[in-house]
Amino acid sequence: MVISKATSNSDDFTIHSTFASRYVRASFPRFKMPENSIPKEAAFQIINDELMLDGNPRLNLASFVTTWMEPECDKLIMASINKNYVDMDEYPVTTELQNRCVNMIAHLFNAPLGEAEAAVGVGTVGSSEAIMLAGLAFKRKWQNKRKAEGKPYDKPNIVTGANVQVCWEKFARYFEVELKEVKLREDYLVMDPVKAVEMVDENTICVAAILGSTLNGEFEDVKLLNDLLVEKNKQTGWDTPIHVDAASGGFIAPFLYPELEWDFRLPLVKSINVSGHKYGLVYAGIGWVIWRSKDDLPEELIFHINYLGTDQPTFTLNFSKGSSQVIAQYYQLIRLGFEGYKNVMENCRENMLVLKAGLEQTGRFNIVSKDNGVPLVAFSLKNNSCHDEFEVSDYLRRFGWIVPAYTMPPDAQNVTVLRVVIREDFSRTLAERLVIDIQKVLHELDTLPSKITAKIALNGENADKNVTVVTKKSAIETQREITTVWRKFVMEKKKMNGVC
């Protein structure tokens, strides 16, 4: 007679569901590698559960970075995710696709290329690396000229607006270049070309203009900067060039504002960077830098790799990197073409105008951004004496929206704004929904005491106590202090109302 016996093994993961296993009740070390392995299903579930606490990328209106691509492109990305781009010998087709992208973008930016002439440029991990490479080229070319003239070459500087991205500060610090910033004004939130040219001296390696300020989306006047700099160069005998940081605007201006002169049509523009992962419509991890000609990229900065009997020049700070984003950029360029990119950018602009109109109809906001530029809406409260932009941003999180609030750089630090970036996947329906939720937030804030009243209420639990008003140290310190106090007050109010 055969006797059957049921066995139970709590470690046999194949019998149990993930949530019936011991792994969901175990505490895993956070900063040290665990001693033992765990099943792949458990590892996936543990990580996936934590990632649920991240914000929704589609509702992250703080970011310019692409958060949606077509499923066909997703398949190409996954198929090439194990390819190391630097292995040009093993993956020559991927290298060829990068070269095609460089040439397409160079033509888009009106590079003065001959019929069969190849463009000079390279793919990077983003505009930060692209700016580092462009800055190095300017610095080396300036140094070479100064050495040939027998002049000092130890104090290079670069002129920018105070609205530049932090990557420019990194470049200046890492590569020992003085950063000369043109201060902003409350009525002029981008670099003033006149003041920029006034700051140029014989040690200036270039002037950096921003095509699409991250603060308010505005395009700086590159044409005026070029004209003023041409005159100064004539007067001084210098040949100070221009770099255009088109991280956000490089894939917008050619389609929405084709007559705008900002690119290689201007003689002093020697290099341009653009983020493929912004309005180039590719997931994070791809940028491009294009030079006007070979003469603008010093040969000593270029390394040469021989693959399949052909010389392959390379100029990067990064070495190993994935091929997926390069392939995805090529997909978008041939999939959409000029017509498709134009349609996408027009849709973004139209949805920006819808959101702007909705905010204006509330009667509560001043619009700080311009209609022409990067499709975003930067706006501030007309009256922030009771509640400020930081509170609006905080309360919008309850609805899932991530909308940043920030103060402007010097000398416009008294201006505080909220900013909504309109990307390809931000539809008119979402724009209308956001306006509705903003109105709900404003209504709720209107029912709450002002920040000052809340602070007094917390500091004066006993009515007989004297309330001491602390003199504010700085705008930022005061803002942080008030935000902290206000949050405590709101939490106490929730507890009293029994809100979970």
Side-chain angles (χ1 to χ4, degrees), residues 44-64:
F44 170 83
Q45 195 65 57
I46 290 167
I47 297 171
N48 188 66
D49 288 352
E50 276 205 271
L51 289 174
M52 290 192 303
L53 299 174
D54 268 347
N56 184 336
R58 292 281 305 278
L59 300 181
N60 179 10
L61 307 183
S63 178
F64 292 83

Side-chain angles (χ1 to χ4, degrees), residues 13 48 76 122 182 194 199 232 243 304 365-366 409 435 476:
F13 194 83
N48 188 66
L76 285 173
V122 67
V182 179
V194 175
M199 296 175 71
K232 183 156 190 173
H243 174 84
H304 293 267
F365 297 104
N366 291 316
V435 172
I476 295 296

Side-chain angles (χ1 to χ4, degrees), residues 255-256 336-350:
F255 306 106
L256 292 184
L336 295 173
F338 194 94
E339 175 190 26
Y341 268 96
K342 183 177 180 180
N343 289 340
V344 170
M345 301 311 153
E346 287 177 343
N347 286 345
C348 290
R349 187 175 186 277
E350 288 300 315

